Amino acid sequence: MLSWAQKYCRHEIVGVVTEVGSKVEKFKVGDKVGVGCMVGSCRSCESCDNDLENYCPKIILTYAAKNFDGTITYGGYSDIMVADEHFVVRIPDGLPLDAAAPLLCAGITVKFAKALGAKVTVISTSPNKKQEAIDHLGADSFLVSRDEEQIKVQAATRTMDGILDTVSANHPLQPLIGLLKPHGKLVMVGAPEKPLELPVFPLLTGRKKIGGTFFGGMKETQEMIDFAAEHNITADIEVIPIDYVNTAMERLLKADVKYRFVIDIANTLKPSL
Amino acid sequence: MLSWAQKYCRHEIVGVVTEVGSKVEKFKVGDKVGVGCMVGSCRSCESCDNDLENYCPKIILTYAAKNFDGTITYGGYSDIMVADEHFVVRIPDGLPLDAAAPLLCAGITVKFAKALGAKVTVISTSPNKKQEAIDHLGADSFLVSRDEEQIKVQAATRTMDGILDTVSANHPLQPLIGLLKPHGKLVMVGAPEKPLELPVFPLLTGRKKIGGTFFGGMKETQEMIDFAAEHNITADIEVIPIDYVNTAMERLLKADVKYRFVIDIANTLKPSL
């Protein structure tokens, strides 16, 4: 049986091109490239036509999905990989491969928001993340979500244009909606298993919105990577060998990593004979 | 004690101008005008600057609110009314006063949507509203929200760009979100008292949004009224005398009206001596 790590952690893949097909136009041998969450889509529906292959009903995910020819996709736990050039992004020279990998799925919200020119407040349950959020990530301010008084004071000023909600656990939306300006947006990127409680009245009286989004289309993803290179945005990572993966999973569940493990497949995976 | 009707039903007011102040520029005696949900706001905050006085933190509602001078606003149960010209809309000549009044708050969704060029599906709990929705209101199709099979078939095609949800009772959002295209919007205009259950995952996988809105700003409201006049959109009404108001309330609670009562204050309210 596959372990949790084997099943879920293989869709942010980077490497160097070793071979290209005769019709490939975007890449040549030696290029630094990446593959994210998907490796195929229909290429003809409304979503695909709008460079949003990620919402194609026939999307092929990078692992544990079926290719159009019936074969199974195996993801990134491999020393080589074959992919359609459309679903491959270019990693610009300025970006180290290992620290670019985690950009392909989760991104790093605070660094991007600052580079985009936003005033950024980090909202967290734990007050002890404050210094790191401000000193290391570059946030402008910090709010403890469990501190009702602090949230109330902040909500009275209604200063936030948008909130990116990355929490995957059950949590109250009302205080977050209260922080938003009129017409503000709360964008969910975490996926709590059970439905959350949605207070409707505050949406009406502030013409506010709640939206959701997951990984981007290929065009958006390439733009994001290029933007990261331009602004020197990289993920904070700890590079590990493949045989450390189960230990890494245990540490991940204890939140004992800052902030991403990256597996060095090329140097540590022994090809089966 | 005020009855429910006395408290809540007096904010969609139409009439004819009988007198104007010396600095009034927008109106003259004899003009047909209306007053909606608000009669004042600060005129200097970000919302007011953007013609969205309806989201001003200092908004003065049309009834049971405090004017800046400390007096109370009394709404439309009166044979005369004094209002700031900024919060008065012009009723164009083509629009009958009585059938225009209900446009000032709730509007009439299907007729507007059709006039705006949308393909309109009415979603209702009761199948017996189908004929009226299609023949009288002009909807293109009809969907019974309690018919799980019908909803499932429709959801499989994901054809809706947006849904206006006018339901004020508790109801499931999941089937509605399922009907939306990727990037579709569910806009709440009803205000259920208790929080609704919000399934987050379908928002993420379809990059969908849930928003809310209530009455418009003065500019939006004038645009809406002008649009209604241009496209001959009027509300379906039953005109009643003021002394019928409690009976009307009883009928309203039984949904026994198509679709709005309008009180003829001018001809039936006896001024107190």
Side-chain angles (χ1 to χ4, degrees):
Chain A
M1 214 179 93
L2 290 174
S3 76
W4 194 92
Q6 286 172 313
K7 275 196 286 191
Y8 294 109
C9 304
R10 39 185 170 155
H11 64 275
E12 297 167 311
I13 309 156
V14 289
V16 175
V17 177
T18 53
E19 214 178 318
V20 293
S22 60
K23 291 183 184 164
V24 166
E25 293 178 352
K26 274 169 66 181
F27 302 104
K28 59 177 198 308
V29 171
D31 284 351
K32 292 197 295 179
V33 294
V35 171
C37 302
M38 60 185 162
V39 291
S41 71
C42 83
R43 310 292 301 277
S44 61
C45 69
E46 192 178 330
S47 289
C48 285
D49 284 346
N50 288 307
D51 292 315
L52 291 163
E53 307 86 349
N54 44 333
Y55 300 109
C56 171
K58 295 187 179 163
I59 187 173
I60 300 172
L61 296 172
T62 302
Y63 54 88
K66 243 188 201 169
N67 276 310
F68 291 125
D69 65 4
T71 58
I72 301 296
T73 60
Y74 286 110
Y77 281 2
S78 164
D79 53 352
I80 55 165
M81 181 174 191
V82 179
D84 180 325
E85 65 173 336
H86 183 77
F87 296 92
V88 174
V89 291
R90 174 178 306 280
I91 312 285
D93 279 336
L95 216 50
L97 272 188
D98 51 3
L103 298 175
L104 292 177
C105 172
I108 30 182
T109 315
V110 178
K111 292 184 187 178
F112 273 106
K114 284 305 299 176
L116 286 162
K119 188 179 161 210
V120 179
T121 300
V122 168
I123 306 174
S124 171
T125 52
S126 31
N128 57 21
K129 286 189 181 165
K130 178 171 180 173
Q131 200 180 345
E132 185 164 4
I134 290 179
D135 295 347
H136 178 65
L137 296 175
D140 299 285
S141 53
F142 188 89
L143 209 51
V144 180
S145 57
R146 284 182 183 155
D147 182 337
E148 285 180 25
E149 194 51 39
Q150 205 184 12
I151 292 285
K152 219 171 104 184
V153 168
Q154 187 68 32
T157 63
R158 299 193 309 180
T159 54
M160 297 195 187
D161 298 292
I163 298 175
L164 270 176
D165 184 337
T166 61
V167 181
S168 292
N170 190 3
H171 62 291
L173 297 178
Q174 173 111 42
L176 299 175
I177 295 172
L179 292 170
L180 292 170
K181 273 188 187 175
H183 314 274
K185 287 178 200 149
L186 172 62
V187 180
M188 315 291 295
V189 290
E193 270 182 50
K194 290 186 186 163
L196 301 184
E197 282 199 354
L198 175 68
V200 177
F201 200 67
L203 293 184
L204 266 61
T205 54
R207 210 176 270 183
K208 296 175 181 180
K209 294 174 211 73
I210 299 183
T213 186
F214 63 162
F215 59 93
M218 293 315 300
K219 184 162 172 271
E220 292 170 328
T221 305
Q222 186 66 59
E223 283 169 5
M224 179 275 290
I225 294 274
D226 293 346
F227 183 86
E230 194 182 325
H231 294 267
N232 293 314
I233 298 173
T234 53
D236 295 298
I237 55 163
E238 178 178 337
V239 177
I240 58 168
I242 184 73
D243 57 11
Y244 186 77
V245 70
N246 286 323
T247 312
M249 276 310 303
E250 285 160 24
R251 284 183 48 198
L252 192 60
L253 292 176
K254 291 184 287 185
D256 176 24
V257 57
K258 282 176 183 174
Y259 288 82
R260 291 306 200 96
F261 290 116
V262 170
I263 310 168
D264 183 358
I265 297 278
N267 290 311
T268 62
L269 184 72
K270 295 171 192 73
S272 49
L273 298 176
Chain B
M1 213 179 93
L2 290 174
S3 74
W4 195 91
Q6 286 172 312
K7 276 196 285 191
Y8 295 108
C9 302
R10 40 185 169 155
H11 64 275
E12 297 167 311
I13 308 157
V14 289
V16 176
V17 177
T18 54
E19 216 178 315
V20 294
S22 61
K23 290 182 184 164
V24 166
E25 292 177 353
K26 273 169 67 182
F27 302 104
K28 59 179 199 304
V29 172
D31 284 353
K32 293 197 294 181
V33 295
V35 171
C37 301
M38 60 184 162
V39 292
S41 71
C42 83
R43 311 291 301 277
S44 61
C45 68
E46 191 179 330
S47 289
C48 285
D49 284 347
N50 288 306
D51 293 316
L52 292 163
E53 307 86 348
N54 45 332
Y55 300 109
C56 171
K58 295 188 179 164
I59 187 173
I60 300 172
L61 296 172
T62 302
Y63 54 89
K66 243 189 201 168
N67 277 309
F68 290 126
D69 64 5
T71 58
I72 301 296
T73 59
Y74 286 110
Y77 282 2
S78 163
D79 53 352
I80 55 167
M81 180 173 192
V82 180
D84 180 326
E85 65 173 337
H86 183 77
F87 296 92
V88 175
V89 292
R90 175 178 306 280
I91 312 285
D93 280 335
L95 216 50
L97 273 188
D98 52 2
L103 298 176
L104 291 177
C105 173
I108 31 182
T109 315
V110 177
K111 292 184 185 178
F112 273 106
K114 284 307 297 176
L116 287 163
K119 187 178 162 209
V120 179
T121 299
V122 169
I123 306 173
S124 171
T125 52
S126 31
N128 58 20
K129 286 190 182 165
K130 178 172 180 174
Q131 200 180 344
E132 184 164 5
I134 290 180
D135 294 348
H136 178 64
L137 297 175
D140 299 285
S141 53
F142 188 89
L143 209 51
V144 180
S145 57
R146 285 183 182 154
D147 182 337
E148 284 179 27
E149 194 50 39
Q150 205 184 11
I151 292 284
K152 219 171 104 185
V153 168
Q154 187 68 33
T157 63
R158 300 193 307 181
T159 54
M160 297 195 187
D161 297 293
I163 298 175
L164 269 175
D165 184 337
T166 62
V167 180
S168 291
N170 191 2
H171 62 290
L173 297 178
Q174 172 111 41
L176 298 175
I177 296 172
L179 293 170
L180 292 169
K181 272 187 188 177
H183 315 274
K185 286 177 200 150
L186 173 63
V187 181
M188 315 292 294
V189 290
E193 270 182 50
K194 290 187 186 162
L196 301 183
E197 283 199 354
L198 175 69
V200 177
F201 200 66
L203 293 185
L204 267 59
T205 53
R207 210 177 271 184
K208 296 175 182 179
K209 294 175 211 72
I210 299 183
T213 185
F214 64 161
F215 59 93
M218 294 314 302
K219 185 161 173 271
E220 292 171 327
T221 305
Q222 186 66 59
E223 283 170 3
M224 179 274 292
I225 294 275
D226 293 346
F227 183 86
E230 194 183 325
H231 294 268
N232 294 313
I233 297 173
T234 53
D236 295 299
I237 56 164
E238 179 178 336
V239 178
I240 58 169
I242 185 74
D243 56 11
Y244 186 78
V245 71
N246 286 323
T247 312
M249 275 311 302
E250 285 161 24
R251 284 182 49 197
L252 192 59
L253 293 176
K254 290 184 288 185
D256 175 24
V257 57
K258 280 177 183 171
Y259 288 84
R260 289 308 200 95
F261 290 116
V262 171
I263 310 168
D264 183 358
I265 298 277
N267 290 311
T268 63
L269 184 72
K270 295 171 192 72
S272 50
L273 298 175

